[in-house]
Amino acid sequence: MACVADRQAAVREVAQVYELIKLQQPLLLLHSSSSHLAQSLLGKALRALNVALSVMNQQQPPPPPPAVAPVTVVVVKAEPHLSPPSPASADSEATAPPARRGAKRTRRSAAPVGGKKNSSSWATLTAVPYDDGYEWRKYGEKKINGTLFTRSYFRCTYKDDAGCLATKHVQQMDSDDNSSPPMFHVTYHNDHTCSSAKAAAKANTGSSSNNNSHLAALLADCCDGSGCNKGLTTTTINGHAAAAAAAMNMNMKQEPSLLPPPPPLAEPPSACFPYDQMPQQCHQLLFPVSMEQQFPGNGEEIPSAAGSCISGETSWDGYYYSGDMAAAEDDRFHDLERFLLGDSFMDYQY
DNA sequence: GCAATTTGACCATA
DNA sequence: TATGGTCAAATTGC
């Protein structure tokens, strides 16, 4: 089918542009006189490409499920009003006053609930509900009628600091199949108006010793546990480790009842951390970096923990570059394509 | 001691 | 009135 070939070519083109931007992003941000502007533009570009790929993906049958059950993130639906918010709309919402802890309880004055507001909302189906690159604080849990599991309510950790109104609800889906990892229906409301840079700066300044210790543990788990810093050419992270890393990323305690250890993977899903499994702190705290750090160019595996985390910018960065470059390139692309097509509408921030 | 989570109560909406 | 979403005091963990 010519149209299929054309679409694949288009997808490939967009994916390559996406990849190129991501690769060049550190340098652009590092050398730009206005890093904020650069970051904003890059974010918009990446988001647009992501949406474009999502649209393309909707026009073709879904890809066959993987042989193993890696951590997956798929779009449940993209209703007209359930589209990912644009940065512009996010900016317009940033003026809402932040809620204050301990303030006198005045109900329903600022944040109407249940989708009545004009803000955007969208939903995803994922095995890793806590790993979406943002930091969330749990503020409630509720037993919902007709469901076996409770629904958890999260809001952005930086709601108070940045007035970020982003919230999400995580509902474990009922399933008869005990052999497969649990899936979660995650509904997002409002775009993040807090910047990841702000979050990263906060973490980097050591304003909270908790953050630093948290990061240390995170890096240890992220890079040591997965073997990324042990000179392995390819590494793996099973669902359990991903969930653990995700939970750490969330600054929250893992709920045993929600995430039982899934069966080990028969095959490594991809090199190093797939993007949707990589703790966001790896992006934020070790960024920006030089291209030399990302790509030594001497055929060596990126040795350091920092390098391996940085390499997680894309899912293919754990590969051995001195080997068959064409094969590696091909694998890299397919990993990227899987990531892009399977992770549509996720709101990535760098 | 501080920050995050838990949990029961409160409130808006259908 | 049932239900879902949020608040905030109490609890827990670092």
Side-chain angles (χ1 to χ4, degrees):
Chain A
M1 292 270 276
C3 68
V4 172
D6 289 345
R7 183 168 53 238
Q8 288 177 341
V11 167
R12 192 180 185 90
E13 285 291 325
V14 175
Q16 285 175 345
V17 173
Y18 189 104
E19 177 183 0
L20 187 62
I21 292 176
K22 291 193 73 168
L23 287 176
Q24 300 298 331
Q25 188 175 22
L27 277 179
L28 289 170
L29 291 176
L30 191 63
H31 299 300
S32 171
S33 59
S34 175
S35 60
H36 181 76
L37 177 61
Q39 186 176 11
S40 174
L41 292 174
L42 287 168
K44 289 178 181 178
L46 290 173
R47 195 186 303 268
L49 290 170
N50 202 357
V51 170
L53 283 165
S54 301
V55 172
M56 295 175 186
N57 190 34
Q58 287 174 356
Q59 297 171 352
Q60 61 184 358
V68 293
V71 177
T72 53
V73 179
V74 298
V75 175
V76 173
K77 57 185 175 180
E79 302 173 15
H81 68 288
L82 295 184
S83 57
S86 68
S89 65
D91 290 340
S92 66
E93 295 169 1
T95 55
R100 282 293 147 213
R101 201 172 196 170
K104 185 71 177 180
R105 190 169 179 160
T106 54
R107 308 282 295 175
R108 304 291 175 264
S109 59
V113 297
K116 296 286 189 294
K117 49 199 165 190
N118 292 328
S119 58
S120 55
S121 63
W122 65 103
T124 65
L125 190 62
T126 177
V128 186
Y130 308 125
D131 185 15
D132 54 15
Y134 290 101
E135 292 183 60
W136 301 95
R137 174 178 294 181
K138 189 175 183 177
Y139 66 86
E141 188 175 282
K142 193 88 172 182
K143 181 72 175 69
I144 301 301
N145 266 2
T147 62
L148 295 177
F149 304 97
T150 58
R151 176 180 298 173
S152 296
Y153 298 87
F154 299 89
R155 63 179 166 226
C156 179
T157 297
Y158 304 103
K159 179 188 177 185
D160 289 352
D161 294 339
C164 182
L165 297 178
T167 63
K168 75 172 179 181
H169 309 162
V170 176
Q171 175 74 57
Q172 181 173 348
M173 302 187 71
D174 304 339
S175 173
D176 300 333
D177 188 1
N178 292 329
S179 62
S180 61
M183 296 301 291
F184 300 85
H185 188 241
V186 183
T187 304
Y188 294 88
H189 296 283
N190 296 327
D191 193 14
H192 281 268
T193 57
C194 60
S195 69
S196 58
K198 176 185 177 74
K202 181 176 179 178
N204 267 335
T205 54
S207 61
S208 165
S209 58
N210 192 28
N211 275 351
N212 282 345
S213 60
H214 162 67
L215 173 64
L218 175 69
L219 291 176
D221 188 77
C222 149
C223 302
D224 192 61
S226 70
C228 289
N229 66 340
K230 293 178 180 174
L232 303 179
T233 55
T234 60
T235 58
T236 180
I237 177 169
N238 63 26
H240 190 201
M248 295 173 71
N249 184 36
M250 287 293 300
N251 271 344
M252 57 175 285
K253 184 174 67 178
Q254 188 61 58
E255 297 181 36
S257 64
L258 289 181
L259 283 177
L265 299 177
E267 295 276 338
S270 85
C272 204
F273 272 110
Y275 192 91
D276 62 347
Q277 298 172 15
M278 191 190 69
Q280 178 73 4
Q281 278 88 340
C282 290
H283 297 259
Q284 296 172 341
L285 299 176
L286 303 168
F287 190 80
V289 296
S290 69
M291 293 302 285
E292 288 76 17
Q293 283 177 287
Q294 290 189 78
F295 306 104
N298 57 4
E300 294 180 355
E301 174 73 8
I302 299 165
S304 69
S308 57
C309 282
I310 291 165
S311 73
E313 279 285 320
T314 52
S315 62
W316 39 267
D317 281 319
Y319 284 107
Y320 217 90
Y321 286 100
S322 64
D324 184 342
M325 291 298 290
E329 191 74 21
D330 193 54
D331 287 341
R332 287 163 47 186
F333 172 76
H334 284 104
D335 274 350
L336 175 70
E337 189 176 37
R338 279 198 298 272
F339 149 60
L340 288 170
L341 294 181
D343 218 5
S344 313
F345 289 131
M346 290 297 292
D347 195 6
Y348 294 105
Q349 210 162 349
Y350 306 94

